[in-house]
Amino acid sequence: MILYHAISTFQLLECMVHHLVYTKDKEAVLVLPDFIVDKFPQYKQLQKMKLFKKVRLLKYTLIPHSNDRTIMRDIAYRYKKDVKYRLDKFEEVYCAGAHFYFSLYLISMKKPFIAFEDAAGMLSRDEEMYRTLSRQFPVHAEIAKRYGLFSLENEYIKKVICHKASQTKDVSADRFINFDPVAELQHLDDDLREEIVSFFIDKTYSADNDSIILLTQHFSVLGNMSLSKQEKVYDYIIGDVLKNEKVIIKPHPDDLLDYESRYKSAMVIHEKFPSELLPFVFNKRPERLITINSTGAALLKGYFDVKIMNNYMEELKNDTEVFL
């Protein structure tokens, strides 16, 4: 039996695809955070689909961000109470969202594990991850950094699954395993792929071929800027950069900005799903996609004409209202 752990929408997709492609001959348990239920109240469908033997919710929201000693105690208690499987039952543990406290439990139990990078390319941006988390949860960030859970260099992390083409650091060593969930989805049997897509959404979208998809980012939620500043950022992109375009807005699953009421002329996708599913959810797929620097775009370049707004990103970094 094997164990998967995921935190984000993208990581949930990663675990689903990885299990189907690489470990489907083994029974698997999936551990999700309790707060993911707000986005996916249907999480138990993963058991009904027989994709995972069990799906357990780890109650992260009940663990205070205090200090190493109390967090180690609390995560051990929560694991035993919420997950209920002894670690020695698992021949392998795959951990996405490794900077969350579940990894500390694995480390405290001296359980080697395989880590997924947080999102495509983030293995090379570990300092950025640290800065972002430290603005809102400084204790959590310091502990994760101390244990190498951003750089994924802890002695108990024996392999790192990442998208090698998105990295700026050397990932040629044997411990780095290339994984492209979108390419794997493309190669899956049609029925299996549709089953994965149907967990997140039960519809397909219609769009003009000359439309352009805008991937948003949850800047205000991450503490990179205020919500009002984020509104100004997308006012500029939609009102100026894309003013003559047919825009389809695909909000980040954690984005709080109300795009539909603000941008009446744009089509807004309301359903929460990872942007990596975009190649598979249109009756007629638009050809173009634009984003400031969403990690989701890295895996979509073979399916859309992708524009990354690198120059605008540099402008934002120099803005006193922005913390990137």
Side-chain angles (χ1 to χ4, degrees):
M1 193 160 56
I2 59 176
L3 179 66
Y4 283 92
H5 170 276
I7 291 292
S8 70
T9 303
F10 168 65
Q11 292 163 10
L12 172 56
L13 175 66
E14 272 194 308
C15 291
M16 294 166 72
V17 174
H18 188 274
H19 179 43
L20 276 173
V21 175
Y22 294 102
T23 63
K24 64 180 179 181
D25 58 327
K26 299 173 182 175
E27 287 186 334
V29 174
L30 174 65
V31 176
L32 297 174
D34 52 347
F35 52 79
I36 209 168
V37 176
D38 294 335
K39 283 182 284 188
F40 303 114
Q42 76 278 21
Y43 73 94
K44 287 188 177 178
Q45 285 183 20
L46 295 166
Q47 290 178 192
K48 294 178 182 177
M49 294 161 61
K50 298 184 178 179
L51 185 54
F52 295 97
K53 176 179 177 168
K54 291 289 182 184
V55 180
R56 302 292 201 200
L57 295 180
L58 187 59
K59 294 181 180 176
Y60 275 107
T61 56
L62 298 183
I63 301 175
H65 301 297
S66 48
N67 57 58
D68 292 40
R69 183 179 59 80
T70 57
I71 286 171
M72 289 291 196
R73 179 199 66 204
D74 291 344
I75 189 61
Y77 173 77
R78 290 265 49 106
Y79 179 86
K80 292 169 186 174
K81 187 171 180 63
D82 301 337
V83 181
K84 300 186 174 96
Y85 285 93
R86 284 171 33 196
L87 279 181
D88 60 12
K89 294 289 185 182
F90 300 107
E91 57 185 281
E92 203 71 88
V93 176
Y94 295 88
C95 182
H99 58 292
F100 274 69
Y101 294 147
F102 174 66
S103 297
L104 295 179
Y105 180 62
L106 297 175
I107 291 165
S108 70
M109 298 298 290
K110 297 181 169 52
K111 178 72 172 179
F113 61 100
I114 297 170
F116 288 84
E117 66 172 329
D118 198 59
M122 293 308 292
L123 179 62
S124 301
R125 295 159 61 182
D126 53 297
E127 284 298 325
E128 177 185 327
M129 289 178 61
Y130 166 72
R131 288 195 303 271
T132 297
L133 187 63
S134 64
R135 289 188 195 103
Q136 294 177 301
F137 303 103
V139 173
H140 183 171
E142 287 300 328
I143 293 172
K145 186 173 184 178
R146 191 180 317 134
Y147 283 88
L149 300 178
F150 295 116
S151 63
L152 303 182
E153 293 176 347
N154 188 281
E155 63 179 308
Y156 289 101
I157 300 176
K158 57 182 183 176
K159 298 283 185 181
V160 176
I161 297 173
C162 63
H163 186 241
K164 289 191 173 185
S166 298
Q167 308 305 323
T168 57
K169 66 185 289 183
D170 182 12
V171 289
S172 59
D174 290 343
R175 74 185 295 262
F176 299 108
I177 303 168
N178 188 53
F179 181 55
D180 184 335
V182 183
E184 298 290 3
L185 271 170
Q186 180 74 48
H187 297 140
L188 275 180
D189 174 84
D190 289 351
D191 290 340
L192 270 178
R193 182 171 59 249
E194 288 173 13
E195 189 173 23
I196 289 176
V197 173
S198 70
F199 170 78
F200 295 96
I201 54 173
D202 58 4
K203 62 187 288 186
T204 54
Y205 302 98
S206 298
D208 294 331
N209 193 52
D210 60 348
S211 299
I212 184 167
I213 300 171
L214 170 63
L215 290 189
T216 80
Q217 292 165 253
H218 55 318
F219 291 119
S220 65
V221 173
L222 292 174
N224 296 138
M225 61 185 72
S226 66
L227 188 60
S228 62
K229 180 63 179 181
Q230 183 177 324
E231 289 174 343
K232 292 175 185 176
V233 166
Y234 285 107
D235 283 350
Y236 164 68
I237 294 174
I238 295 168
D240 292 324
V241 178
L242 302 176
K243 64 180 177 182
N244 296 319
E245 301 282 2
K246 298 174 183 176
V247 180
I248 301 171
I249 302 175
K250 166 60 177 81
H252 186 283
D254 297 322
D255 197 347
L256 297 178
L257 206 157
D258 183 358
Y259 293 93
E260 188 166 45
S261 63
R262 194 169 185 84
Y263 309 111
K264 303 293 186 182
S265 62
M267 169 185 167
V268 180
I269 294 176
H270 298 287
E271 290 74 21
K272 295 184 183 296
F273 62 88
S275 59
E276 290 78 9
L277 290 182
L278 283 170
F280 314 107
V281 300
F282 286 96
N283 291 326
K284 188 174 183 181
R285 187 195 304 165
E287 294 181 354
R288 297 176 298 153
L289 182 147
I290 188 171
T291 184
I292 297 176
N293 75 333
S294 168
T295 55
L299 299 175
L300 298 174
K301 292 180 179 178
Y303 308 88
F304 299 93
D305 176 8
V306 174
K307 179 180 178 181
I308 309 292
M309 301 178 67
N310 291 319
N311 290 339
Y312 185 50
M313 185 64 179
E314 291 305 311
E315 289 181 30
L316 288 176
K317 287 180 179 178
N318 293 322
D319 191 318
T320 56
E321 295 181 73
V322 176
F323 307 96
L324 289 167

